[in-house]
Amino acid sequence: MLKATTIHQQYEQARKDNIRILIIGAGVAGITAAQMLRRDGQHPVLIERNKDEGHPGYMLALMPMVDQALEDLGVREHYRQNSIPLNRYGFHAHTGRMLRIDSMSSILDRYGDYRGIARGKLIETLTSTGCNVSFNTTVTGLDESSGGTTVTFDSAGETCQLEFDLVIIADGIHSTTRNLVLGGSKVDVVDTKWGGWVVWAPEDIHMDLGEELWGAGFFLGIYPVKGELGVFLGGSRVDTKVGPNAFVEDIRRKLTSTSPRLDSTLKAITSDPEPYYWSLKDCRTPTWAIGRTVLLGDAAAGFLPTAGIGAGMAMESAWVLTRILRHAQRDTVVSLLQAYEKAQRPRVEAAQNTSRRLAGLMFHRSRPLAVLRDVMMRIVSVETAIKPIQKLLANQPNPDHVAKDALKRM
């Protein structure tokens, strides 16, 4: 569980380490990195801008690239208890009719686990041994010198300055700290101009089956987690301005075939008093490693949800980074951060490219294009769509090799 503590209490421990580390952002990437470092005997300072844990979030589908991090953290069994296997993927035509059901287990089981989990349950899993964090704390200044980085904080209204040897920025796709180090460097953003509502629906008897309906002007995704179904219903932001009730009513008029699950999930959208609206954008930064500072997770590369891989890549990146840092001393931090970016950035951006390509395929308002897409999907399995991700899974990173090679070159 997350345990609120002051930044000064955390720093008392961190300043005794051979490398004083700050992690900004207590999301999936930041918590994974903090817990990995703590498992290795370090005492990183973890801060979070929110005043408390906030909304736990919604559903995640995690591919096997997270397995090694879970194993190293000693929480693999806890994870399996809090999640469910996603064995099948169902694809609906734009009219609602089920076109095909593919076996995800036959595609991914050779690499490891593919499971559905609520974000809150994942955080609970990652912090099951306890996780100190300073809430209501933001960074307002970063001043790097040869001796380290002086960081200025606003913590619960109090201003203070502390010195670190390494700063990990993991405060999400809308990172404010990122601007302090990138300055005027442009962040590449893909705006799909779509958005939609995320809600929970009751579980049913098909909890190993994830489903998607790529409609003409709308998208419906149904993703099981333990005890619930995560639902996303989206469309062009121009069209969704009418609100969830009117948008669902329009979809029902377009469907010529339905099912109890489709009906239940559409009702969940309209019955939720405050469904969360998600504008579908991503981001890609021009560089990750800047001196003694490094961007991690969505702060480095924020994903569209179309391939269901963003959280998994964030956890993998946190694992790779912290494994590399096992080899670090104060005078080698800069070189090792550069080596981390060189090794991990191509993997993350390859996965991000897959998400972007799928978005281009999914998000259309044209009915003729939807018909053509249905024809294609009758003969093409989901395995074809995620082939690039399979390549990543088949070629796991070797952070120890990356670190040792970088140190040899110094």
Side-chain angles (χ1 to χ4, degrees):
M1 60 180 292
L2 290 170
K3 181 182 177 183
T5 185
T6 71
I7 193 168
H8 298 292
Q9 288 172 326
Q10 288 200 74
Y11 192 71
E12 275 302 303
Q13 297 295 318
R15 68 187 184 87
K16 301 172 186 176
D17 292 343
N18 64 320
I19 300 176
R20 299 161 296 176
I21 302 174
L22 169 66
I23 301 175
I24 305 166
V28 171
I31 288 174
T32 302
Q35 297 296 81
M36 284 286 298
L37 290 165
R38 289 165 179 167
R39 186 87 169 177
D40 288 341
Q42 301 290 318
H43 302 86
V45 173
L46 176 63
I47 67 169
E48 168 58 41
R49 61 176 170 242
N50 291 322
K51 294 182 179 180
D52 52 34
E53 297 179 39
H55 192 285
Y58 291 93
M59 61 285 185
L60 298 171
L62 293 182
M63 292 196 181
M65 70 269 299
V66 306
D67 289 354
Q68 191 60 61
L70 295 168
E71 193 71 39
D72 284 3
L73 287 171
V75 296
R76 183 75 173 272
E77 188 54 38
H78 197 288
Y79 167 67
R80 292 179 67 86
Q81 291 171 1
N82 275 340
S83 61
I84 59 173
L86 299 176
N87 294 325
R88 298 179 295 154
Y89 169 80
F91 180 83
H92 294 261
H94 74 285
T95 58
R97 180 168 62 90
M98 181 74 81
L99 278 185
R100 63 184 300 143
I101 296 179
D102 292 321
S103 170
M104 295 302 292
S105 55
S106 66
I107 297 170
L108 294 174
D109 275 3
R110 74 196 78 165
Y111 307 112
D113 279 334
Y114 179 47
R115 303 180 73 86
I117 188 170
R119 182 181 179 277
K121 287 294 185 182
L122 176 61
I123 298 297
E124 177 188 306
T125 297
L126 294 173
T127 62
S128 58
T129 57
C131 179
N132 289 336
V133 59
S134 299
F135 291 110
N136 197 20
T137 301
T138 58
V139 171
T140 59
L142 290 165
D143 184 15
E144 183 169 329
S145 66
S146 58
T149 300
T150 301
V151 183
T152 305
F153 298 92
D154 183 335
S155 185
E158 174 195 352
T159 299
C160 65
Q161 288 187 329
L162 301 170
E163 190 170 69
F164 294 88
D165 303 298
L166 167 62
V167 177
I168 300 173
I169 298 175
D171 54 348
I173 191 170
H174 302 297
S175 171
T176 55
T177 320
R178 182 174 59 205
N179 298 331
L180 297 176
V181 292
L182 289 185
S185 299
K186 187 176 179 181
V187 176
D188 175 29
V189 175
V190 168
D191 183 356
T192 66
K193 302 191 185 305
W194 277 46
W197 300 277
V198 191
V199 301
W200 292 116
E203 65 178 334
D204 58 21
I205 61 172
H206 305 292
M207 294 300 285
D208 72 328
L209 173 66
E211 298 181 50
E212 291 182 339
L213 196 170
W214 301 4
F218 70 95
F219 172 89
L220 176 64
I222 306 167
Y223 311 103
V225 300
K226 191 172 184 178
E228 296 178 292
L229 295 172
V231 182
F232 175 80
L233 176 65
S236 163
R237 291 202 291 272
V238 172
D239 296 333
T240 57
K241 282 182 180 179
V242 299
N245 288 9
F247 192 71
V248 167
E249 185 179 338
D250 182 59
I251 288 173
R252 288 191 181 279
R253 286 194 293 266
K254 293 178 179 179
L255 298 179
T256 60
S257 177
T258 188
S259 69
R261 179 184 265 195
L262 289 181
D263 188 55
S264 172
T265 52
L266 289 174
K267 283 180 180 176
I269 296 286
T270 57
S271 62
D272 192 306
E274 292 184 279
Y276 174 73
Y277 189 85
W278 184 3
S279 290
L280 299 182
K281 303 176 184 179
D282 77 4
C283 76
R284 177 180 292 182
T285 57
T287 186
W288 292 5
I290 309 98
R292 295 176 176 273
T293 301
V294 66
L295 303 176
L296 177 67
D298 284 351
F303 278 66
L304 297 169
T306 45
I309 197 173
M313 290 306 298
M315 287 182 66
E316 180 191 273
S317 294
W319 175 74
V320 171
L321 174 61
T322 52
R323 282 287 293 266
I324 287 174
L325 291 175
R326 286 180 177 179
H327 303 265
Q329 299 295 325
R330 289 187 183 183
D331 61 347
T332 62
V333 164
V334 173
S335 296
L336 288 178
L337 293 184
Q338 292 171 351
Y340 159 71
E341 177 177 358
K342 184 178 179 181
Q344 187 65 5
R345 185 185 180 107
R347 290 181 59 82
V348 171
E349 293 187 353
Q352 190 183 50
N353 287 339
T354 299
S355 294
R356 288 178 171 183
R357 284 193 294 269
L358 285 173
L361 185 62
M362 294 177 180
F363 302 153
H364 287 294
R365 301 171 78 190
S366 164
R367 186 177 179 279
L369 284 176
V371 172
L372 289 173
R373 188 176 56 197
D374 290 349
V375 172
M376 178 190 73
M377 292 301 292
R378 281 195 188 96
I379 58 175
V380 176
S381 77
V382 67
E383 183 171 14
T384 301
I386 64 169
K387 222 38 158 176
I389 295 172
Q390 282 184 289
K391 290 181 181 178
L392 294 178
L393 294 172
N395 296 281
Q396 293 291 319
N398 187 334
D400 295 315
H401 174 78
V402 171
K404 290 175 182 177
D405 186 60
L407 293 174
K408 282 181 184 177
R409 295 173 183 273
M410 289 183 65

